[in-house]
Amino acid sequence: MRTAPHGKTRIFARVNGAPIGVVDVERYEGWKELFIEIPAEVVTTDIDVELFDEGPEDFNDYHVWVT
């Protein structure tokens, strides 16, 4: 995920309905690349990726790559 975080937040990720990870984000000047490894057991032909922002600050998501 590419973000330019304005403040502290926590991002939860799910793939195909399964929780796969949590990323804690701190304020950062400029772009920040965040990574969550997708476990092989949740990978299928079609992948549904969900990101949830717990806060307290907003999560500004600019790009998400799934490879």
Side-chain angles (χ1 to χ4, degrees), residues 10 20 32 56-57 66:
R10 175 174 277 183
I20 62 161
K32 187 77 171 175
E57 299 294 328
V66 179

Side-chain angles (χ1 to χ4, degrees), residues 3 15-16 25-28 33 37-38 44 49 53 55-56 61-63:
T3 185
V15 170
N16 296 334
V25 182
E26 298 289 335
R27 180 173 171 73
Y28 187 79
E33 303 286 341
E37 186 171 335
I38 300 174
T44 59
V49 177
D53 177 18
D61 176 29
Y62 292 97
H63 296 284

Side-chain angles (χ1 to χ4, degrees), residues 35-54:
F35 301 90
I36 298 175
E37 186 171 335
I38 300 174
E41 60 269 13
V42 300
V43 175
T44 59
T45 303
D46 295 319
I47 296 177
D48 181 29
V49 177
E50 299 173 277
L51 302 174
F52 301 93
D53 177 18
E54 182 181 74

